[in-house]
Amino acid sequence: ETGVTQSPTHLIKTRGQQVTLRCSSQSGHNTVSWYQQALGQGPQFIFQYYREEENGRGNFPPRFSGLQFPNYSSELNVNALELDDSALYLCASSLDVIGADTQYFGPGTRLTVL
Amino acid sequence: RKEVEQDPGPFNVPEGATVAFNCTYSNSASQSFFWYRQDCRKEPKLLMSVYSSGNEDGRFTAQLNRASQYISLLIRDSKLSDSATYLCVVRNYGQNFVFGPGTRLSVLP
């Protein structure tokens, strides 16, 4: 396994609610990226955190926000949930923003919005 | 146009067949290239990086054509365990990874 963990594994929410997803990166990795994967599509980049600072963001609205903690674990928060937010949310950790071309994915959190 | 495009699939092939996946990317500044494999309801896992000179790992061969902005993956002697979705991924230096939509492969007995 990759050593990247995510919680919870599954989550069911209703429209308008807020959700927090968590990711623990592989030991020693200081960079965490979050992706959204809708059914039948490839993962779409949400944002990346490097040493507790946001370092790049994809085409997602501000209601998608995140944090990275001093131990490099990370949270993804989504406010005002919409039906289209139903997806698999993946986090991936890597050692360094610039040099690392290898990222390790966690098992994902499957979010269903009703 | 999407930044990374792949054969739409699905590909259904018999065991032992050779199958090729194609991928094109639009950003000429892309510098790193990969193939990932994703099993049903699981996370993506790195299958192999793709180098300019082409590279091989057992039954898997990857090719890159920078001039045409084209990447390929060839699987020889397909096994049932090769059934998965294959994701083409590109990256600019220091930037985020961009995934294609994936091509699903089913190897049939």
Side-chain angles (χ1 to χ4, degrees):
Chain A
E1 298 303 327
T2 64
V4 180
T5 61
Q6 291 186 243
S7 63
T9 53
H10 296 85
L11 201 52
I12 299 175
K13 291 284 188 178
T14 56
R15 267 190 314 175
Q17 285 189 308
Q18 178 267 341
V19 68
T20 297
L21 310 182
R22 295 178 176 83
C23 171
S24 291
S25 58
Q26 190 175 102
S27 178
H29 283 187
N30 54 21
T31 303
V32 173
S33 301
W34 285 92
Y35 295 85
Q36 179 195 67
Q37 187 175 24
L39 198 62
Q41 297 181 26
Q44 299 295 307
F45 175 72
I46 303 174
F47 43 57
Q48 181 183 76
Y49 279 84
Y50 171 63
R51 295 191 174 185
E52 302 179 60
E53 297 287 333
E54 186 178 291
N55 181 67
R57 187 179 183 92
N59 189 25
F60 280 82
R63 60 188 185 85
F64 286 78
S65 62
L67 282 174
Q68 188 178 31
F69 299 100
N71 67 355
Y72 302 134
S73 66
S74 178
E75 285 183 357
L76 164 65
N77 299 290
V78 187
N79 294 322
L81 283 167
E82 301 177 359
L83 296 179
D84 284 349
D85 295 334
S86 295
L88 179 67
Y89 288 84
L90 296 158
C91 79
S93 78
S94 54
L95 179 58
D96 183 78
V97 172
I98 300 298
D101 262 350
T102 302
Q103 53 179 355
Y104 299 87
F105 282 89
T109 293
R110 191 164 296 279
L111 172 65
T112 301
V113 182
L114 302 176
Chain B
R1 182 186 171 193
K2 291 188 177 179
E3 191 167 345
V4 179
E5 299 195 67
Q6 298 185 238
D7 293 328
F11 285 22
N12 299 311
V13 302
E15 267 187 293
T18 295
V19 60
F21 300 121
N22 301 309
C23 170
T24 57
Y25 61 95
S26 61
N27 189 342
S28 59
S30 297
Q31 296 189 313
S32 303
F33 309 91
F34 313 90
W35 285 101
Y36 276 71
R37 171 198 168 120
Q38 186 172 26
D39 293 300
C40 188
R41 304 183 77 81
K42 298 284 190 180
E43 73 274 21
K45 293 185 178 176
L46 179 65
L47 179 65
M48 58 198 302
S49 300
V50 187
Y51 304 115
S52 295
S53 55
N55 47 299
E56 190 173 303
D57 182 2
R59 299 180 293 109
F60 298 84
T61 301
Q63 297 280 350
L64 168 65
N65 184 323
R66 286 185 184 269
S68 302
Q69 295 179 202
Y70 168 85
I71 308 162
S72 66
L73 176 68
L74 186 75
I75 305 177
R76 290 182 301 278
D77 189 24
S78 299
K79 311 291 185 191
L80 295 177
S81 57
D82 293 334
S83 296
T85 295
Y86 290 83
L87 297 159
C88 176
V89 186
V90 305
R91 187 189 190 204
N92 293 349
Y93 185 71
Q95 301 299 313
N96 59 283
F97 294 75
V98 181
F99 284 76
T103 303
R104 188 158 57 90
L105 171 67
S106 293
V107 181
L108 309 172

